[in-house]
Each structure stands twice: as structure tokens, then as C-alpha cells.
Amino acid sequence: MAATPAQPPVEVFESGDAALRVVASSPDREANWATVHALAAWLDAAGADGVHGAVPTYDSLLVEFDPGVTSARQVRAFVLLGLRQLEFTGVPAREPREFSVPVVYGGEYGPDLVRVAEQQQLTVEEIIQLHTTKSYVIRCLGAPAGSPMMDGPDFPFPVPRLKDPRLSVPAGAVSVAGRQAVIAPAAAPGGWCVIGQTPLTVLDAASEPLVPYVPGDTLRFHQIQPEDFAQYAGRKLEAAR
Amino acid sequence: MSLIIQQPGNSVVTDLGRFRGPRFGLPVNGALDQFSARAANILAGNGDNAPLLEVTALDFRMQATTDLLIAVTGAPLHLTVGGRECQQWEPVSVRAGETVALRRIDGGLRAYVAVHGSVDAPVLLGSCAPDTVVGFGLRLAEGTELKTNRSVPPIRQPYYDLPLFRLGLTRPEFHSTAVVEVTDGPDVEEFGDTASLLYNTEYTVSGRSNHIGLRLGGALPERQTTAEVLSRGVPVGAIEVPSRDELLVLHRGRGVTAGYPVLAVVTSRSLDVLAQARPGHKITFRKTSVPEATAKHRAALRELEALRSTVGTVFSLLGIGNQPGWQQPVPAAGT
């Protein structure tokens, strides 16, 4: 269908009988990210019959539905309605919250720190400096268990993934790969380079929603020493403001 | 009122899934063979989404401390109650003190045990389905006591050797060679001509398959492009080629986001077939369309609705569970 000029350009792809993939296709990366997250929020708020929910990432949105109640065709129409709606109302402004994350870098807490420094042709101190300088925007929640996916620190080169992924990376692991950064809310296998670990509890399975941040919130890392780890351990990650 | 697990095998309490999970980064999980799980609950007079037991591959035994009505569906197996041989896909009376045994799960992989009135289980985001990554859920162990909510006096069969119920559900068939229907994935073009290998190859189910995904050995389509893929949500049923060794078919425990191109997507109906595929079983894929897949899914749901209505009639004649609202399906999580 023809889009009006103000309507964000998207493509909608079939993804089986119970999901659609919506891809924002403007040349502007930030605009695409804003579009898929605004659309996800609109779909969640609208609560259409048979629509289970939407999973937004960078430029893409997976909309899952119950094919016994609705259909790919109906959900596609609903998504396009949402886009027109956003065109009139604009993307709802939400004040981002900021999270401050203490990290012990290197040693047993960050087994790949030295490797990453060598690969980037920087010192360990410079890596920590670059990692703690940036204010990260949480782009989306990823696997496992609502990991905060962020654009990585301003390293000179992309960070290669491990050739042999680890069978288990502990909860709280602070990792980088490619041009991305992340914290692991729960222990899981992982192929990203672990440069540190936060003693804070990120995932709380007893509370809803499990993780305290949402896409759009910001996050900063600051360095603590190994002897301070215990002092923070067991505390929950909470918004600073 | 309770059930005591005597031999857990590999069993959990689950439901149809955590439909609100994916937006928070949690997989939907829940019963892998959704048709069998729904049928078990309907045959036990429950809502489709009521907590029930999923028993995978291994023998299982439990003892009732009260009179119960249960139904066992899914993979073919040898079912006994108090030593008497009983039918799957039918309501079965269990007397207080009797042992329910599921032995020799065969042909398929997963069986479902629903108990009239259901069992109690902890809930996360509206679902009791276990999540192995978050460490949530009720995995059964020897001695686990499950609280049941409703007792049903034994239903006596007045004629000696007639089955108690004959409810006429078309039972799914289980074969060691299965045809799995798929629709083209959103990234099928990235595989060029090699995509057709998917439809011309017989694949073998690997022993490394689980609720997260099935790994299939055979000729592999190859991605013809190299551009980096940003992480994005992938549907249950997505078929990916992450390595040169095996095809990966994601099932209900899949990580919600991934960066591999999606070659094809298994239909909702065929996901039930995959849930019952055992290591060593052979799989071939057949291409279908989304409207056709939706029509088949709805036909299966209509069959379950017909079963619900028959069960409702029989149960009300027998005076089972006719409390107000007992037939109300428990709303699917998140709706």
C-alpha cells in the first residue's frame, strides 16, 4: 500500500502462521529504532484480540499472534493502522531513566579483558576508560532473559566473538562483541568477550517485569575494585533517576 | 487432595506458555505438543490453559491420595491405573491410593497428564511453564507432592468390558518418518537456489535436540550473503542454518532474539509433530502457505471444540464438575 510521506516506511514480512516481521526501512538508523519501539508500545497498549505481543530490536519488530483468533492478514492491517496512528500522535515522549552499574574489570571477573585490549591495540586502562566514559542507550531486550542490548563503547575496531563460546557465563557478566555491549541478567552460554562483572542483581524472577530497565533507558558503568564486590553483592540494579 | 510423584522420569508442570514473555526477553515455552496438551485438559474437564504434567521420554509413576479424574494424551505409551490397563485420550478414574504409571513412551516423545480441577503451580508472567534460563518452574522429583483442586468419585462402568468413554477424537498419528509443513521464511532469498534443498532432503533428528530447538542432520541450504544481521525477534518454528553441521529448528524454548537469517517457519500444526520427533526419526519438509497453515490450525481447534462439547455433555450426565463456570476456559496468559 502507498505510504503517506510522513508515515515511517516499513516492510512487513510473513514469519509463519503466528508471527509477522515488521522492518523499518528509512535510511535513518535512530528513526528506525524509534519507529519499531513506538509501534511495539502502541500494539501492547492497544491489546488487540489474539495479539500476544511485540518484540522490538534495532530496526525490526516481531509481532506474535494466536492464529486461532486472528490471522497474519488482520495483524498486518492492524500494524499499518498503528503506523498511521503514530503519524498523528507522534512517538510518545518518555523520560528515560538512568542506571549506574558498578563493575569489577579483568581478572577472574573479566577473563577476556586482556585479549580485548590486545586486539584493540590499547592498554587495559584505556579499554576500561572507553567502557566507562560512554552513556549507553538500551536499544532492546535480548536473549537470555531480558539482557540490555546496547551500542558498544567507542573502540577502534569491532570485537570478534570467542571461537569457542563458553558453556556458562555467570549472571552479571559485562561483555562486548562486534559494536555491541551487554550485561548478562542470568547465567547462560555465551560467545561474547567478558571484560568484567557487576555484583548487582539484574534479574529478579519474583518481580514483574523481571528486569528494571526498558529500551530507551540509559546506563553507565563505573569501575570498582575486587575487594568492593562483596559490598554490592545481592543489591538490585535500580534506576539512579 | 494431592498427587505424590513416585518416579519422576523427566517431567514438569506446564501450560500452553508464557505469551507475555517474549516482550521481556523470555521465550514462550509451555507444552511442546500444544494439541495433545489442550486435548488432555479438555478430556479432564479443564480449561485449555490449565497447568498439567508434561512427561518426556522416560517412564513415570505417581500416586493419588484422593479420588481423581485424569486424562493422558500425547505419545503412545502403556498406561496403567492401579495395575489396570487404561486408554489414552479418554478420561480415566483414579481411586485414592492407586498408582498411575506411564511406561514405554514409544513412537513419540512427550505425553501429557491432565487432572480434573488441575494442579497448583507457581506462576511467572501469567504462566507456570518452566523457564530453564531464568531457573523458574516446577520440575518434578521423587516425593514431589502436587496439590490437586477437585476430587471425583470413581465412575463405575456398569457393563463389564466396555470402555468407560468413547469420545471419538481423531488421535494424532505418530511415525518415525514425519512430514513437517513450513512456509517461506522472511529471509529465504538469502539462501538463493540452495533453499530448495530443504524440500528435497530427508533430515535426521539429532540427539542434541531439546525444547529450545531441534537439530537436524542432512543436506544444508547455504546463505549466499555475508552482511551482518542485527539481532531481531525470531518466531517459534524458525529454521536457521547456524553451522555447517546441522539445521536448527527453533521450538518454544527458543531465545527470543537472534542474528541468523530465517529460511522457513514451521506451521503451528507441524510444531506439534516436531514435539514428538525422537532422535533418529526422519523429517521431510513440505512447503505450504500461511492461509493454508492457518486453516489447518483452525480445523484442529474446531475438533477440540467439538471434543469439549462432547465431554461437557458426558460429564454433566455423570454429575462431574458441573459447578458454575467449570467449563470456562482459563484465559490464555496475557489476554
Side-chain angles (χ1 to χ4, degrees), chain A residues 13-19 21 29 44 50-60 62 64 66-72 74 140-146 149 161 178 180 186-188 203 205-211, chain B residues 19-20 22-28 38 124-126 133-134 136 183-187 228 230-236 254-257 260-262 265-269 289-291 293-294 297-298 301 332-335:
Chain A
F13 298 92
E14 281 183 348
S15 287
D17 61 21
R21 182 200 285 172
R29 208 166 153 252
D44 278 350
V51 176
H52 291 316
V55 182
T57 56
Y58 296 89
D59 60 352
S60 143
L62 184 77
E64 295 184 291
D66 179 346
V69 176
T70 184
S71 69
Q74 282 169 301
C140 60
L141 306 186
M149 311 294 289
R161 283 162 205 244
Q180 289 182 283
L203 175 87
S207 78
E208 239 176 76
L210 317 183
V211 291
Chain B
F19 295 99
R20 280 169 64 210
R23 74 181 76 166
F24 300 114
L26 299 191
V28 64
R38 283 179 191 267
L124 173 68
L125 293 174
V133 173
V134 176
F136 175 84
T183 55
D184 272 342
D187 308 309
E228 198 191 335
L230 285 171
S231 291
R232 56 197 172 197
V234 288
V236 173
R254 59 77 167 96
V256 175
T257 59
Y260 296 107
V262 176
V265 185
V266 177
T267 66
S268 296
R269 275 308 277 141
S289 67
V290 167
T294 306
H297 179 70
R298 290 181 177 180
L301 291 180
T335 60

Side-chain angles (χ1 to χ4, degrees), chain A residues 136-219:
Chain A
Y136 300 84
V137 177
I138 296 173
R139 293 293 176 178
C140 60
L141 306 186
S147 303
M149 311 294 289
M150 301 170 282
D151 298 333
D154 296 323
F155 292 161
F157 312 107
V159 180
R161 283 162 205 244
L162 300 177
K163 283 207 182 71
D164 290 311
R166 292 190 171 87
L167 290 178
S168 183
V169 173
V174 171
S175 311
V176 287
R179 293 280 183 193
Q180 289 182 283
V182 77
I183 310 172
W192 289 33
C193 291
V194 180
I195 61 171
Q197 188 178 356
T198 179
L200 298 185
T201 301
V202 177
L203 175 87
D204 179 5
S207 78
E208 239 176 76
L210 317 183
V211 291
Y213 42 77
V214 297
D217 287 341
T218 62
L219 193 150

Side-chain angles (χ1 to χ4, degrees), chain A residues 8-11 20-26 28-44 53-63 79 82-83 86 91-92 139-140 215, chain B residues 230-233:
Chain A
V10 301
E11 292 177 80
L20 287 178
R21 182 200 285 172
V22 182
V23 179
S25 51
S26 94
D28 180 346
R29 208 166 153 252
E30 287 291 325
N32 289 340
W33 176 73
T35 297
V36 296
H37 284 268
L39 188 54
W42 185 86
L43 288 166
D44 278 350
V55 182
T57 56
Y58 296 89
D59 60 352
S60 143
L61 176 73
L62 184 77
V63 186
V79 163
L83 280 171
L86 290 173
V91 176
R139 293 293 176 178
C140 60
Chain B
L230 285 171
S231 291
R232 56 197 172 197

Side-chain angles (χ1 to χ4, degrees), chain B residues 51-110:
Chain B
L52 82 173
L53 281 59
E54 182 180 64
V55 179
T56 302
L58 304 178
D59 288 357
F60 171 90
R61 273 187 298 122
M62 64 181 185
Q63 187 177 34
T65 67
T66 184
D67 293 339
L68 293 174
L69 187 79
I70 67 165
V72 179
T73 63
L77 53 84
H78 188 242
L79 172 66
T80 57
V81 174
R84 299 186 307 279
E85 204 168 313
C86 293
Q87 293 294 310
Q88 280 178 269
W89 300 91
E90 282 187 12
V92 173
S93 269
V94 181
R95 276 169 254 193
E98 284 184 331
T99 290
V100 176
L102 281 62
R103 293 201 182 86
R104 304 199 300 269
I105 293 180
D106 192 14
L109 195 57
R110 294 183 167 87

